[in-house]
Every structure is written in C-alpha cells, then in structure tokens.
Amino acid sequence: MITQRGFVVLFGGILLLTSGFSFYNFYLTLLGVYLIVGLVVTLPLFATTANIAGIEVERRISKVKVFSGDFLRVRVTVKNTSRRHFDFIECWDRFPEVWTLAIGENFIASRIEPNSSITFSYILQVRMRGRYYLGPTEIILRDRLGLHYYRRIVFEKTEILVYPTWKDVRRLESMGKQRQLGLMFGAHRTKIIGMGTDFAGFREYQPGDSFRSIDWKSSAKRGEMMIRQYEMEKNIQVVCMVDTSGSMGNGYPENTKLEYAIRAAVLLTHMGLERKDLVGTCVFSELVHSYVPPSTRPNHMYDVLEALAMAEPSGWSDYESAISYVISQTQKRSFIIWLTDLEESPAPLLNAMKTLVANGHKAMVISPFGPWFEAPVGQFGPVDKVLAEAVSEELWERRTKIAKALARFGISVVNVGPEDFLPTIIKQYETAKQRGVAMF
Amino acid sequence: MKVVTWVLRILSIAAFVYMAYLVYSIMSALGVWDWSAPYDYIVTVFRLLSLIVFFISIVVFSGIIASVLGAIPGGLVSGLYNTLVLRLWYLQPYRVDGPLTDVNAAFAQFLNNIMDLATYLFETTFIFLYFLCAGVGIALFLQSLVRMEHKYVAGAFISIQVILILGAYKGLEVIDMNPVPVDFVTFIFQSAQILALVSFAYLEISYQMIYSYSVGKPVEDREETLKKQLLALRKATRKQDAIEREKISSSGMSRSSGATVFSFVREAIERKTIGEQDALENLDAISDVRRLQIFVDELLSSDPDARDELTAKAAAPSSFYVISSTIMGSAIRFVSVLALSFLLINPQFIMDLLNLTPGIQNSAELNQPEIILLFLVPLILLFPFVAMVISSFVNTEEEKEELTPEEKEAEKERKRKLKELKKEAEIARKEREKAKRGKKKGEGDEWDRALEETYGV
C-alpha cells in the first residue's frame, strides 16, 4: 500500500517526467525516473520483510472487574515473532470511548527487532458501568521513508466488567465515621423481649438463665433472684426493584434515571449489609433480567453489583411479571422498594401492587420524575419552554393520580430528582427500620 | 538516536546546499540572477494596475459627463480632468506625459502602453519566479530541519527543481543530457546526472533523517508527557492539600482525624452551604485526582518496571541498528535507482540487448525522451506486482473478528435464555389478560374501585 507521502513522490516524478518530455529536457526526465523508480524499487523488499502476521499482541490488566471511576493499568506487549525487523511499527491500543486516559499513552511507535518485544503501559479511568472490551489493537508497519505501509487489526480483546460507582458508599462511610451513624447490629427496636441493648424490665430468675443477666441490686432489694430483660433487636428484609425500561434511560449521560436508581440500589444494599439486614435486588423491564435474593453472604454485594452492572435501559416495564417472579422466590415478608419512573400505564402497576400486598409484603415507590433529569427549562427557547412545562405538568398530574391510588393501600410514592435521590433512599430505609417494616 | 539524527541533519544540509549551488550555477551561466528583477517585477505590477485604474477613471468620467450633458464631453472638460489626474498621478513612465483631450486618444495610448507593460511583465515574471522558488525552497528547507516533516522536505526539493522546469519552459538552455551517453561511467559523471543524483540524495537523506528522528521521538514524547502528567497531578494534589490546611487552620479543627475525613467533612459542609450539583461535581473531580495520585504512587512503589513501561523506555531502538540499516537501505536504493534509471533513460542499451531489427534501432523515435515510457511503465508496474505476489505468500491480510467456539456457544446460550424468558413472560401476560377478561364487572375489588374513583373509568 502506498501512503499519501508516496503519492506525493509519484506525482512529483510524473511532473518532472512530463516536464522533461514537454521541454525536451533529459535532466528533468531523468529526475522524474529517479523519483518513480525510487518509490517502487524497495516495494518487493518491504513486502518480504513486512511479515505483519508475525506480530503478536498481548494485553494484561491489573483487574478484570472494577468500579466505575476506578483506575486501571493496562500493559501491552507487542512481540515480533518473525525473523525480520520492522523499521517502523505503530501500535494503537483501543479502549472504550467513554473511558478517560489518565496517565501515559495508548500508542507507541518504534522499531522492533526479530524475536524481540516492546512493552508499554497506560492508566485509564474507567467510566460508566457495563461490560466493556479493551482492544482491538491496530498495527501499522511503515517502511523507513514512509512511502509504503501495511495495516493489521489484532482482534485481541480483554473483557472488563465495570460495576456501578462506589463513590456514594465511600462518601457515606466517611460521613458515617465522622458522625458515628448507627452501624450497630439491628438498629431497629422491637417490643419483643430478647437479646438487645435497650432495657425492657425485670423478671424472676428461672433455672437455665444466664448468671450474667442477674441484676444483683434488684435481687438484693426483692430478696429473690431477678433477671434483667432487654428489647430484642431484629432485622428487616428489603427487595429493591430496579426498573430498566427504556424511559429510565432518559436524562444526561451518566446521570440518567437508571443510573441514579442503580446508585441508590448499591447504596441500599451496602447499608443493609452493614446493618445485617437482608437486601435483595431485582432488575426488570418487560422481563426479569436478574434477581439476587436477599442474603448476607460475603459475596452478596458483588452479585448485586454484577446484576446492576449489566442493566441496560430498554423495553417497557412489566410490573406484574416482575413481582410474580420475586414473590415466587421470596418466602419471608419483605419491604419492596420500587425504583421506577412510573411512565407505564397505571393498571399493571396497581395489579402488581395488589399481588404484592395480598402476599403480605410492604412496599413503597421511589420515583425519579423525568423532567427533573432533563435539561433545565431555562436552557430552552420560548416554544420549547412552553412545551416542556406542559409535558411536565401532565406527567405530574398523572403521577399524582397514581400516588393517590397507591396511598389508599399504604404504599407511598416519593418523587425524586437527581439531587435528592440518594438521600431519599437512605431516609426511607432508616424510616422502614425504625417502623419495623418487614422484620424477620 | 539524537546523534544519528544530527549526523543525518548535517548530511541533509550538505546535500541541499550542493543541490542549490548546482542549480544556481546552471542558471547563473544563463544570466538570470538579476538581483533587481524582483523589485522591477513588483513595481511593474503596480504600474500596470495604476494604468488600468487610470483608464477606467477616464472612461467612467466621460460616461458620467455624457449621461449628464447628453453628449461625449468636449476637449475642454476631458482635457481639464486628465490634466488634473496627471498632475496628481505620476504616470510619466507610461508615456502618458501630456493632457489627453480626446477619449479616443486615451484609448489608443492605453492600448500601446498596456501591451508594452505586459510584455515587460512577462519577461520579468520568470526571473521573479526563480527568486520566489529559491526563497520558498530555502524557507521550506529550514522548516524541514526544525519541524522534521516530510512535506517540508518535498516542498524544498520541488521548489528548487521548479527553477529548472521554469527555465526549460522559458526555452533557456538549462542543464541537459542530450544525447544520453551509452557508457555507464560517462553517464554517471555527466553534470545533469550529478545534479539528479544530488537531488535524489537530498530527498533520501532527509527522509532518513526524519525516520531516525521519528523512530525515537515517540518514546521521548511519552517520557515527556508522563513527566508533565505526574507533575500536574502532584501540583493538583498539593494545591488541594494547601486548601484543606487553610480550611482546617481557619476552622480550628483538630488534625488528628486524617486528611480523608477532612475532605469529606469539607464536602459535607459545602454540600450544606452550597448544595449544588456543580459543587458536588467539583468535589468528585478533586477526589479523582487524589485517588489517581494514590494509585500512581502505589504503582510506582510496588512495581519497579512501572515507570519504564509507562514511558516505554525499553521500546527505544538502538542507534547501531538504525545507523546500519540506514546505510544499507540507502546504498541499496541508490545503486538500484542508478542502474534502473540508466537502463530506462538509455534505450539503446536495451535495444542492443534485445537485438532488434535495424529499422527500429535506427528510428528517430528512439532519440525522443518519450521512448522512456515504453520501458518505464512495464518496469514500474513490475515492482508492485512482485510485491503483491510476495504479500500473498506472507500473511498480511486483515483479520476478521471471529468469536472462539466457547464465545459462540455462550452467545447462543444467552440468546436462547433470553428467548425463553420472553416466551415465559408472554405466556404469563396472556394468562393474566385471560383471567381479567373472565372476571365479571361486579367482582371488582377495592383496588379496582380505587382505580375507578381515581381515573373515572
């Protein structure tokens, strides 16, 4: 293949050649011949040496599963397994467009000797959850004068799973450290007597009671052995229903309703695990994409993260199928938190809620309100502004009706925007614990 | 690599200077380097323009007067106007040295003057262009030494050669090689051949110089970029630390809690006071910088090769290889170009070799330069053909992205599962629909009533 530079030489040669012919000048003709011959004479030699199939690319990464926003070191080794040297080799290692090159360069250009290799590395900042691939690698071999080249794409791909961002959890943890938020086991108080920290009262000693529980002071006063009793602390079971229908993908990139819902689900799962509550996650649209049952296993968080990482906004919301599936999988009473934008027709939603309540579960809806995730109205022109406001009002009215219908059965709907999405989920979780919803 | 590049740079300068000197000598022998020519040319251009403007002004003036008076202005008016213009306008060099009272006389004068000027301009244009090409050639050559780009080298080469092309076009006896010597040694030492070789050598050496520069440059650039990136990162982190220290000292808080907590305390405070999305995004960016700093610090301390890999220091080619391959490559190209050019430019040799009939051998066409094409085209096309044949043996085909059998199986399985799920969901939906249709109107429970109340359905 002749490069652009090669074509310039060719045209220069033709110019001189034709000038020589026109002006009957052998010098110009000779120079034209020189250029044209000089361009092609090494072509067979280059074709012999440029055994591009002898190039192998190996890519190594520091980890295959990372959180969105984390940094990843990529090492690329280009090996020349042939017996020829390559005068000039360019190597471009491609990475997903949404990621950011933080340190180094994903490109190298050098000379490579036979049976030797060159290694370079770069650091990427991983952005946006999902399944991504590093690669392919583009290899371009040039002759030393840059007149000819061969190109090859090495389809050596490295798969990376990007979990949703962990920054919310980091923030919460750090603020929690400062404020000493209640991270204790079972923050919820019950009226059931048992193991706990809050004092409930005294009773008479019975054989088998622990000596540690004897209250010596009151025993001395009463003249008989008295036992201290405490309120039992219990945990709750929560299932987070993440709607991944197409409408949830609306909003600014990285700040869509779905992204916030996923961040909220991650935060909720983390908080639940910290407090030894059972938190499950169901990712659904017109079908249930994944369901991670409530658990406290050490790897539970990663299962949830994996399920959420793969969520893509598409299709429509089939609330009934989703809740039927979850109910069939969940034996205990649960507190079901729906993270949905309620932009489907209300009847299926109400039917789903009916099924849910009929099976003894509690529920609430945290609903991102579409217009709050879109561009601010101030950025629109006058016509767009009026239209946006009209659409917004209609959506709000519809939402109010749904909220009224659900409120009759004790299911609250909380409308949220990007700013209060995460605080709302924290608040609702704390409230549910305090109220003792869905204890097990 | 820098040494090799410098050596080649000096050789390139020498080749260019020699090439330029040869061209200068050739043209100098023809007496074209009249140093006042550029100035004369520019002045002539302006004079020509002045004359055209003068003529237009006469015509326009006469036209306006004619439209006002209804007749072509008389001698008095035109004479007055032209005298005024001539007094204000220096037109003596155009031989318009007296008042022209008649418009027709002005026309005739103009035609004479403009033809003279145009002829003079044509003569001086070529000399001006020689100077222009020389100037452009030198400027591009200097650029090529600094910027190390092929386009400047090619530009300098073409500019210098264009001087000879223009000379040939003008019909000057610029360097030639007619008749072409049959003897190879005589051929090599012809002055035209020497100039052609020097010109080719300039191109070859300059391209080699750019190669030697560019083959080591990416690694140097990487190192430089990395240094800048790390420095910027360090500065950003220090800046943040300074801000935090300032905030801590001003608020009188204890330092014992650690920097991380402080950053989040600050975040919490700012969230309360500012509470805007922008502020949170800034905090995210600050957090990213700090985390990147920690990541890089850990990487550099845990892996001793990390820095070399980031800069790709090991990828820098050795100077020895570059020098040896430069000499070898250039020598092969020189010899083959020389030999092939001799064969192509001297068809007599091939004629003898082919033992053609005297009718062809003695034909007048063999003395024309165009005969070269007869041999040049097939010979030139032979090289790409051979290269294509070789490429077909050596696997240089672009690969197609193909999935491994396991990946194919996994993809198949995923699609099958998705299909099943969709089918199940569809069945469930249909059953629900059926159940709903089977219900009588009066059986509506509290939920249905709620819907009815809310939506009025």
Side-chain angles (χ1 to χ4, degrees):
Chain A
M1 301 275 263
I2 296 176
T3 59
Q4 200 181 355
R5 203 172 297 150
F7 278 111
V8 171
V9 174
L10 181 69
F11 289 131
I14 291 170
L15 171 76
L16 289 164
L17 204 63
T18 48
S19 300
F21 294 159
S22 306
F23 313 134
Y24 201 74
N25 187 303
F26 271 93
Y27 164 73
L28 297 176
T29 311
L30 180 70
L31 199 60
V33 169
Y34 265 29
L35 290 190
I36 295 171
V37 172
L39 174 69
V40 295
V41 75
T42 50
L43 204 51
L45 191 69
F46 179 57
T48 316
T49 54
N51 178 14
I52 202 161
I55 292 287
E56 283 178 7
V57 176
E58 189 192 356
R59 190 184 302 104
R60 281 167 290 164
I61 49 172
S62 48
K63 43 200 165 179
V64 290
K65 291 178 181 179
V66 284
F67 285 99
S68 172
D70 277 4
F71 296 96
L72 183 74
R73 182 194 182 194
V74 183
R75 299 166 76 196
V76 182
T77 304
V78 184
K79 282 183 194 165
N80 177 11
T81 57
S82 72
R83 285 179 293 172
R84 306 278 183 183
H85 66 262
F86 297 124
D87 276 330
F88 201 78
I89 180 169
E90 287 175 16
C91 177
W92 293 90
D93 195 36
R94 292 184 197 159
F95 59 84
E97 280 178 17
V98 289
W99 293 8
T100 316
L101 185 65
I103 297 279
E105 286 174 2
N106 62 326
F107 163 78
I108 186 81
S110 187
R111 179 191 164 94
I112 185 165
E113 301 303 329
N115 295 315
S116 65
S117 63
I118 48 178
T119 302
F120 66 97
S121 70
Y122 55 95
I123 297 168
L124 292 170
Q125 185 177 27
V126 175
R127 305 288 296 274
M128 293 178 79
R129 58 178 185 82
R131 192 181 295 281
Y132 291 95
Y133 293 93
L134 282 176
T137 310
E138 187 180 358
I139 305 282
I140 299 171
L141 292 184
R142 293 184 197 279
D143 69 333
R144 53 194 306 134
L145 302 191
L147 303 176
H148 315 291
Y149 75 99
Y150 284 109
R151 182 170 165 269
R152 180 186 167 201
I153 306 282
V154 183
F155 288 101
E156 180 70 39
K157 285 188 173 179
T158 310
E159 187 184 308
I160 296 162
L161 183 68
V162 182
Y163 293 142
T165 181
W166 196 245
K167 67 180 176 190
D168 304 313
V169 175
R170 267 199 302 268
R171 272 195 196 135
L172 186 79
E173 277 181 344
S174 301
M175 292 186 73
K177 273 179 199 166
Q178 186 66 17
R179 294 178 183 175
Q180 288 299 310
L181 286 174
L183 297 178
M184 302 83 73
F185 169 76
H188 168 64
R189 296 196 323 179
T190 68
K191 294 294 169 195
I192 303 161
I193 306 299
M195 293 296 288
T197 50
D198 285 346
F199 180 69
F202 295 107
R203 67 166 170 80
E204 282 181 16
Y205 175 81
Q206 285 172 359
D209 282 340
S210 164
F211 290 138
R212 280 199 308 165
S213 310
I214 298 169
D215 188 80
W216 298 107
K217 215 172 181 177
S218 54
S219 299
K221 280 183 189 168
R222 295 278 298 267
E224 52 188 339
M225 301 284 267
M226 296 302 289
I227 294 290
R228 273 195 309 270
Q229 287 185 312
Y230 296 93
E231 283 181 3
M232 186 186 260
E233 289 165 359
K234 291 201 79 174
N235 297 78
I236 63 171
Q237 177 159 303
V238 182
V239 177
C240 194
M241 304 288 289
V242 182
D243 178 10
T244 63
S245 61
S247 60
M248 287 289 282
N250 295 343
Y252 283 118
E254 285 195 73
N255 288 322
T256 61
K257 290 182 269 183
L258 179 61
E259 291 307 320
Y260 273 97
I262 285 170
R263 283 168 65 181
V266 171
L267 201 57
L268 184 69
T269 309
H270 175 78
M271 285 164 62
L273 286 173
E274 286 285 303
R275 290 160 173 78
K276 302 288 182 284
D277 288 326
L278 296 175
V279 183
T281 303
C282 175
V283 180
F284 73 98
S285 59
E286 76 264 33
L287 48 92
V288 176
H289 295 287
S290 55
Y291 175 65
V292 184
S295 164
T296 49
R297 285 183 301 111
N299 279 338
H300 179 69
M301 187 74 220
Y302 289 101
D303 292 344
V304 172
L305 286 169
E306 209 151 315
L308 292 171
M310 303 305 295
E312 288 294 330
S314 65
W316 52 282
S317 320
D318 188 349
Y319 299 109
E320 288 171 283
S321 297
I323 201 63
S324 303
Y325 184 84
V326 170
I327 286 168
S328 68
Q329 300 287 318
T330 314
Q331 305 300 323
K332 293 173 185 165
R333 278 198 309 158
S334 306
F335 179 49
I336 292 169
I337 299 176
W338 295 83
L339 302 173
T340 174
D341 57 1
L342 297 173
E343 286 187 14
E344 291 295 333
S345 54
L349 174 73
L350 294 171
N351 282 334
M353 295 302 178
K354 186 161 61 176
T355 314
L356 183 152
V357 173
N359 281 275
H361 299 288
K362 297 279 181 190
M364 75 166 301
V365 180
I366 295 179
S367 179
F369 184 53
W372 292 346
F373 286 80
E374 306 287 344
V377 179
Q379 290 178 9
F380 295 157
V383 179
D384 292 335
K385 201 174 173 180
V386 170
L387 280 173
E389 277 170 5
V391 170
S392 185
E393 269 175 32
E394 195 188 324
L395 281 174
W396 188 258
E397 200 178 329
R398 222 178 118 193
R399 187 171 285 251
T400 317
K401 283 179 183 174
I402 295 170
K404 270 183 194 168
L406 292 177
R408 286 168 181 265
F409 307 98
I411 296 172
S412 60
V413 176
V414 183
N415 297 309
V416 288
E419 273 140 35
D420 58 346
F421 206 131
L422 302 177
T424 303
I425 196 105
I426 298 169
K427 194 182 162 193
Q428 293 302 325
Y429 170 71
E430 295 290 351
T431 313
K433 276 191 78 79
Q434 280 166 15
R435 280 169 47 210
V437 177
M439 285 188 302
F440 64 90
Chain B
M1 287 309 296
K2 279 181 180 169
V3 180
V4 181
T5 310
W6 267 108
V7 170
L8 287 167
R9 196 177 266 159
I10 290 163
L11 287 174
S12 169
I13 293 168
F16 181 82
V17 169
Y18 191 41
M19 176 178 76
Y21 171 73
L22 285 176
V23 172
Y24 173 77
S25 308
I26 291 161
M27 299 304 280
S28 191
L30 300 168
V32 297
W33 299 117
D34 178 4
W35 291 94
S36 62
Y39 173 76
D40 285 350
Y41 177 78
I42 292 163
V43 167
T44 311
V45 168
F46 278 101
R47 281 174 180 176
L48 192 68
L49 290 173
S50 302
L51 193 62
I52 291 167
V53 171
F54 174 62
F55 170 71
I56 291 169
S57 71
I58 288 175
V59 174
V60 170
F61 175 73
S62 301
I64 291 167
I65 295 296
S67 64
V68 174
L69 300 176
I72 295 170
L76 184 65
V77 179
S78 298
L80 260 173
Y81 170 74
N82 293 334
T83 308
L84 268 174
V85 170
L86 285 171
R87 279 197 178 280
L88 297 171
W89 214 327
Y90 176 73
L91 288 167
Q92 276 70 23
Y94 321 135
R95 294 177 217 148
V96 185
D97 46 6
L100 299 171
T101 50
D102 187 3
V103 176
N104 292 324
F107 266 111
Q109 189 77 44
F110 169 75
L111 282 173
N112 282 337
N113 290 341
I114 205 161
M115 286 313 290
D116 286 352
L117 273 178
T119 314
Y120 182 69
L121 194 67
F122 180 74
E123 293 297 322
T124 47
T125 298
F126 278 89
I127 301 173
F128 174 76
L129 284 176
Y130 301 145
F131 277 98
L132 184 71
C133 289
V136 170
I138 291 166
L140 290 174
F141 164 69
L142 293 174
Q143 289 271 342
S144 74
L145 292 178
V146 179
R147 300 200 178 183
M148 293 283 173
E149 286 181 29
H150 292 84
K151 62 184 177 189
Y152 295 115
V153 173
F157 171 81
I158 289 171
S159 299
I160 298 297
Q161 298 303 326
V162 163
I163 296 173
L164 295 175
I165 295 174
L166 286 170
Y169 175 74
K170 185 79 195 335
L172 298 175
E173 287 293 318
V174 291
I175 193 164
D176 200 357
M177 196 167 45
N178 200 6
V180 179
V182 183
D183 179 31
F184 185 66
V185 180
T186 321
F187 171 76
I188 290 174
F189 290 105
Q190 284 275 313
S191 57
Q193 172 64 24
I194 289 169
L195 177 59
L197 266 182
V198 170
S199 304
F200 185 75
Y202 167 67
L203 269 188
E204 173 80 24
I205 293 167
S206 300
Y207 276 29
Q208 295 282 7
M209 168 188 78
I210 294 168
Y211 165 72
S212 118
Y213 174 79
S214 54
V215 82
K217 188 69 182 160
V219 176
E220 286 170 20
D221 282 349
R222 278 181 78 95
E223 200 163 354
E224 197 60 32
T225 311
L226 183 74
K227 269 184 197 167
K228 280 180 188 167
Q229 285 172 336
L230 291 179
L231 193 69
L233 190 61
R234 190 76 62 192
K235 271 184 184 170
T237 323
R238 277 181 191 159
K239 208 172 175 183
Q240 286 169 32
D241 288 345
I243 293 166
E244 274 166 19
R245 271 199 298 275
E246 202 177 304
K247 290 203 171 191
I248 291 158
S249 61
S250 62
S251 60
M253 288 168 78
S254 164
R255 277 177 160 223
S256 58
S257 307
T260 321
V261 176
F262 276 125
S263 72
F264 280 98
V265 169
R266 181 162 57 82
E267 188 176 323
I269 292 163
E270 283 179 20
R271 194 203 292 266
K272 274 190 178 174
T273 53
I274 305 164
E276 283 174 6
Q277 194 65 22
D278 287 353
L280 286 177
E281 277 169 13
N282 287 341
L283 290 168
D284 282 346
I286 291 167
S287 164
D288 280 353
V289 170
R290 193 178 290 281
R291 285 192 304 115
L292 178 61
Q293 179 69 66
I294 294 163
F295 183 86
V296 171
D297 285 347
E298 277 176 9
L299 183 70
L300 295 179
S301 61
S302 63
D303 185 355
D305 298 331
R307 184 178 282 272
D308 286 350
E309 280 178 3
L310 281 168
T311 56
K313 214 173 187 177
S318 80
S319 299
F320 172 74
Y321 278 120
V322 174
I323 294 168
S324 59
S325 62
T326 302
I327 295 167
M328 189 74 87
S330 296
I332 290 171
R333 197 188 300 269
F334 249 80
V335 170
S336 42
V337 165
L338 199 61
L340 284 169
S341 304
F342 174 70
L343 290 176
L344 287 168
I345 204 122
N346 196 344
Q348 196 58 47
F349 183 82
I350 300 172
M351 294 294 153
D352 293 343
L353 206 72
L354 294 172
N355 198 18
L356 294 172
T357 55
I360 300 172
Q361 289 214 15
N362 298 327
S363 69
E365 279 73 24
L366 281 181
N367 295 321
Q368 302 297 316
E370 289 84 352
I371 195 71
I372 291 164
L373 279 180
L374 197 69
F375 304 103
L376 180 73
V377 173
L379 188 78
I380 291 304
L381 291 177
L382 188 68
F383 288 98
F385 174 72
V386 171
M388 276 170 70
V389 171
I390 293 168
S391 307
S392 64
F393 286 109
V394 181
N395 182 19
T396 55
E397 285 295 308
E398 200 167 295
E399 290 168 19
K400 296 275 179 287
E401 189 175 14
E402 278 183 9
L403 296 173
T404 59
E406 292 83 27
E407 283 173 334
K408 277 183 189 169
E409 194 58 39
E411 183 63 20
K412 225 172 160 180
E413 184 65 19
R414 194 186 66 78
K415 281 184 180 168
R416 195 184 59 78
K417 274 187 179 169
L418 194 70
K419 206 175 168 185
E420 263 179 26
L421 277 172
K422 280 189 175 172
K423 207 174 168 185
E424 279 172 18
E426 191 58 39
I427 291 167
R429 268 195 292 279
K430 276 182 184 168
E431 277 177 6
R432 279 200 302 272
E433 290 295 319
K434 208 175 164 184
K436 275 177 206 166
R437 277 200 298 272
K439 272 187 180 177
K440 285 177 188 170
K441 274 189 178 176
E443 286 178 2
D445 62 331
E446 204 177 1
W447 276 86
D448 295 323
R449 283 198 298 278
L451 252 180
E452 203 174 321
E453 279 170 24
T454 314
Y455 298 104
V457 283

